[in-house]
Amino acid sequence: MVSVNTVLLAARPLATDWQAFADQATVLGVAVALAVGIATTIVMIRQEKVTRDGQRLQREQAEATAARSEAAAALTEEYTRRVVEALETMAGNSQKAVMTSKAGAVRWTLVHQHRSRYLLTNVGNGDARNVQVSAHESLPLFGLDEAPKEVGPHETISFLAARTFGTKDSTITVTWTDPETGGDRTWKYPLPPEV
């Protein structure tokens, strides 16, 4: 007959196996919990970075939009000032205004031609000398190296303008020397939209 001590001795290894199994399961559970915690932390860090990058991009776009609005307001103010000055000059001395209109005057137009190409044309009846075309530093212009320095009536300057999301001001500035007076003149106009 089997004694009680023999049963206890036989049961003891079985209990030890269950204890070892429980210990291994606990270690495995802790390792899985640690791996999940690390993965969750990495995902949260990446999400925060994406959120910060998105907020930074939105802030930069808002600042660029605000800068363009300010530049447009300044340009409108400049145009208004020039119109007022022109009206005052015409009202103050109509005879001189008539003589000026008969003399060689330079007048500009700026039109979109194709894709990023624009045409600047002297539609007046005077010659423009020492012509320089420029824009804000955030609006790159190309093709002006070959542009003529003297632009006669109905002559054109062709150039490329690369407007981007970072463009803060799309105003084109033309400066030239008036051969009649010898003084420098300036004309500013916003880049026409691409059609």
Side-chain angles (χ1 to χ4, degrees):
M1 185 169 250
V2 180
S3 73
V4 173
N5 285 339
T6 307
V7 171
L8 286 175
L9 285 174
R12 176 168 278 227
L14 188 61
T16 307
D17 288 343
W18 280 106
Q19 184 62 40
F21 179 74
D23 290 344
Q24 290 174 356
T26 302
V27 168
L28 183 63
V30 169
V32 168
L34 264 168
V36 168
I38 290 171
T40 303
T41 303
I42 290 171
V43 167
M44 288 175 56
I45 289 171
R46 286 186 177 170
Q47 284 178 340
E48 287 179 16
K49 182 181 181 309
V50 167
T51 301
R52 281 192 310 270
D53 289 346
Q55 289 172 342
R56 179 184 50 77
L57 183 61
Q58 285 178 342
R59 184 175 58 252
E60 288 174 359
Q61 288 176 343
E63 289 171 357
T65 300
R68 283 193 299 269
S69 296
E70 288 177 15
L75 187 60
T76 301
E77 183 179 327
E78 173 68 16
Y79 285 151
T80 304
R81 183 188 63 76
R82 290 175 62 191
V83 167
V84 168
E85 285 178 1
L87 290 173
E88 287 174 351
T89 301
M90 287 171 46
N93 190 351
S94 62
Q95 182 64 22
K96 186 176 180 182
V98 169
M99 288 174 51
T100 303
S101 67
K102 289 181 182 177
V106 175
R107 292 185 302 132
W108 300 101
T109 61
L110 181 62
V111 296
H112 174 254
Q113 184 181 26
H114 180 66
R115 294 190 180 175
S116 296
R117 184 165 299 283
Y118 295 87
L119 294 178
L120 176 69
T121 306
N122 176 1
V123 294
N125 57 2
D127 292 325
R129 295 199 175 112
N130 302 322
V131 177
Q132 294 181 352
V133 180
S134 62
H136 187 266
E137 63 187 19
S138 64
L139 178 66
L141 300 179
F142 302 99
L144 291 171
D145 295 336
E146 304 87 30
K149 296 299 179 192
E150 292 191 19
V151 181
H154 308 291
E155 290 182 348
T156 300
I157 296 176
S158 175
F159 64 92
L160 298 173
R163 193 182 317 195
T164 64
F165 284 116
T167 300
K168 295 180 180 178
D169 184 359
S170 60
T171 303
I172 300 298
T173 303
V174 182
T175 56
W176 74 97
T177 303
D178 186 345
E180 296 290 322
T181 63
D184 288 339
R185 304 285 309 267
T186 302
W187 181 78
K188 294 182 179 186
Y189 197 78
L191 203 62
E194 295 180 11
V195 288

